[in-house]
Structure formats: structure tokens, C-alpha cells
């Protein structure tokens, strides 16, 4: 199940709606659950989350996304960027300090949104 928080919907997914549809994000979450994503090291020590990087969109090589999969099988997008994005898209890895900083900032907002029930759930 995909969980799209209010913050991510507005700040990550919203600006890319010309290029991506919600179905692309749902398809990406299915890839994570099926084991078709690349697991990456967490940006901070969080025991119940696993982080993944997966390509999404009509042209799989052009869009990338980072998800958090929780123990209960819910997938939450954390960082959504086009591959041609100059800051994140070319080097979306945990070795890029700008990516780690952005993931940590987004994670704070995501956890706050979930705590305050500001999210939408999409089933496969």
C-alpha cells in the first residue's frame, strides 16, 4: 500500500505532475514490495524503516524515487526527482550529502504528517 503524505504530495510530487502520474508512484511502490528496488543505507538510525531507490515513470531511466518501506508493508515516498535534476537526479545516492540532508528534512515532515493523519493511502 502506498502512503502519500501531504508534505510530499505538495513539495515533491506536485511540481512533477507534468511528468509523473499517481499511477507511476503506485507502480514504483509495487516494485519496492516485489523486491525490484535497490536497497540503500538509511540516512539516520531508524530501526523500523528500510530505504529503497527505484526508477519510475513511462521512461524508467528518466525518473527516480526513494521510498521508505515500513514493517507493516506500507511504502512512503520520501524523495521524487527527475533524473535530469541537476542537484539530485544525476547522483541520487547516500554518498551525496545534499540527498541525505533532503531525505532527513523530508522524513521529519513525513513523520509529522503521519502523526497528525495528513496523508492519503492508495491500494494496489
Amino acid at each position: 500500500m502506498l502512503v502519500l503524505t501531504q508534505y510530499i504530495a505538495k513539495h515533491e510530487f506536485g511540481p512533477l505532475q507534468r511528468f509523473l502520474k499517481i499511477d507511476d508512484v503506485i507502480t514504483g511502490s509495487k516494485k519496492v514490495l516485489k523486491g525490484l528496488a535497490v536497497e540503500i543505507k538509511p540516512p539516520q538510525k531508524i530501526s523500523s524503516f528500510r530505504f529503497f531507490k527505484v526508477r519510475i515513470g513511462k521512461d524508467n531511466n528518466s525518473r527516480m524515487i526513494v521510498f521508505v518501506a515500513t514493517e507493516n508493508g506500507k511504502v512512503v515516498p520520501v524523495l521524487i526527482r527527475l533524473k535530469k535534476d541537476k542537484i539530485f537526479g544525476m547522483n541520487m545516492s547516500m554518498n551525496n550529502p545534499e540527498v541525505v540532508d533532503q531525505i532527513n528534512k523530508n522524513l521529519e515532515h513525513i513523520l509529522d504528517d503521519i502523526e497528525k493523519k495528513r496523508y492519503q493511502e492508495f491500494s494496489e
Side-chain angles (χ1 to χ4, degrees):
M1 176 179 291
L2 172 71
V3 175
L4 186 63
T5 64
Q6 181 180 327
Y7 180 84
I8 296 300
K10 182 178 180 184
H11 293 92
E12 294 288 332
F13 181 62
L16 299 177
Q17 284 187 334
R18 294 184 323 211
F19 308 102
L20 296 172
K21 304 292 177 228
I22 191 66
D23 289 341
D24 296 324
V25 180
I26 292 170
T27 300
S29 71
K30 289 179 188 176
K31 287 181 182 179
V32 171
L33 294 173
K34 290 178 181 177
L36 300 174
V38 176
E39 188 164 2
I40 57 176
K41 68 179 183 179
Q44 52 184 290
K45 292 186 180 186
I46 301 176
S47 61
S48 61
F49 298 145
R50 293 172 60 201
F51 290 78
F52 298 90
K53 181 169 65 171
V54 65
R55 296 170 192 217
I56 63 170
K58 291 184 189 210
D59 179 9
N60 279 341
N61 290 328
S62 62
R63 287 126 187 139
M64 300 177 75
I65 191 166
V66 177
F67 283 103
V68 175
T70 61
E71 290 175 347
N72 61 6
K74 294 186 179 180
V75 177
V76 183
V78 178
L79 186 64
I80 306 171
R81 296 297 155 104
L82 297 178
K83 184 149 179 140
K84 63 183 176 183
D85 183 283
K86 289 183 172 84
I87 298 172
F88 301 107
M90 301 297 248
N91 183 17
M92 189 180 275
S93 74
M94 299 315 274
N95 294 330
N96 183 342
E98 293 171 331
V99 170
V100 173
D101 287 344
Q102 190 62 52
I103 288 173
N104 285 327
K105 288 176 188 174
N106 287 1
L107 211 48
E108 287 179 35
H109 291 288
I110 288 168
L111 295 174
D112 185 53
D113 280 352
I114 290 173
E115 184 179 307
K116 294 178 180 170
K117 301 195 184 316
R118 296 185 304 225
Y119 60 87
Q120 253 186 307
E121 293 184 347
F122 298 88
S123 58
E124 293 124 37

